[in-house]
């Protein structure tokens, strides 16, 4: 079954795997998903990731991160833009997630980036999701 919103499907898989305390989760590969996973890695929400190719199908294996008490680092993920309702924001109006402790992921004209970097570059774009 194909998903109408593949990014939301990926975020849901990551959130559910973290809540189930799984070591890793596999998601279908795409350029946008790979950029989002790279941001999750640089922001410290996941341990690592790697691209796989099995039987001609490309996927991304995401290794989840937990703290010393085996609690997931990812507490929540919320998808903002959907296929039926795109949400855009200028760099001055980008939302702050949990007073700066969370991250907003933005698709800008210069690529997918975090809200902090988009504000520094003074560019707005489509709000993809927030993660905390």
């Amino acid at each position: 079954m194909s998903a109408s919103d593949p990014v939301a499907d990926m975020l849901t898989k990551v959130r559910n795997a973290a809540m189930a305390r799984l070591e890793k989760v596999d998601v279908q590969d795409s350029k946008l998903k790979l950029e989002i996973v790279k941001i999750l890695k640089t922001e410290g929400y996941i341990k690592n990731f790697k691209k796989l190719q099995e039987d001609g199908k490309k996927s991304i294996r995401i290794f989840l991160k937990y703290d010393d008490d085996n609690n997931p680092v990812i507490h929540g993920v919320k998808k903002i833009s959907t296929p039926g309702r795109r949400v855009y924001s200028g760099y001055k109006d980008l939302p702050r997630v949990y007073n700066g402790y969370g991250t907003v992921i933005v698709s800008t004209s210069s690529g997918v980036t975090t809200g902090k970097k988009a504000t520094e570059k003074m560019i707005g774009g489509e709000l993809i999701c927030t993660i905390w």
Side-chain angles (χ1 to χ4, degrees):
M1 182 175 119
S2 66
S4 63
D5 191 356
V7 173
D9 187 45
M10 177 194 76
L11 294 172
T12 301
K13 283 184 179 182
V14 169
R15 179 179 52 233
N16 289 345
M19 291 177 72
R21 310 264 194 297
L22 299 180
E23 179 185 348
K24 62 187 183 292
V25 63
D26 292 343
V27 296
Q28 270 189 329
D29 188 18
S30 77
K31 290 179 186 177
L32 179 61
K33 290 180 190 178
L34 185 62
E35 292 301 314
I36 292 170
V37 169
K38 285 179 184 176
I39 290 173
L40 294 179
K41 168 84 167 95
T42 58
E43 294 293 314
Y45 291 107
I46 60 173
K47 274 190 213 173
N48 211 345
F49 67 92
K50 82 176 168 183
K51 292 180 72 171
L52 303 174
Q53 184 165 357
E54 297 174 3
D55 301 328
K57 293 183 179 179
K58 294 181 180 181
S59 64
I60 305 169
R61 179 162 288 164
I62 302 170
F63 297 95
L64 301 172
K65 189 174 183 180
Y66 299 94
D67 64 8
D68 296 335
D69 297 327
N70 201 26
N71 294 320
V73 173
I74 297 174
H75 296 287
V77 179
K78 183 179 179 192
K79 182 80 165 87
I80 300 174
S81 283
T82 62
R85 182 177 156 262
R86 302 291 184 189
V87 179
Y88 297 92
S89 177
Y91 75 94
K92 291 180 182 177
D93 301 324
L94 288 172
R96 288 176 49 105
V97 183
Y98 282 98
N99 205 21
Y101 286 106
T103 305
V104 61
I105 299 177
V106 184
S107 177
T108 67
S109 57
S110 61
V112 180
T113 185
T114 64
K116 288 180 186 175
K117 291 180 183 174
T119 303
E120 289 171 7
K121 294 179 183 178
M122 297 165 94
I123 50 177
E126 180 184 350
L127 303 177
I128 298 175
C129 67
T130 58
I131 185 163
W132 64 93

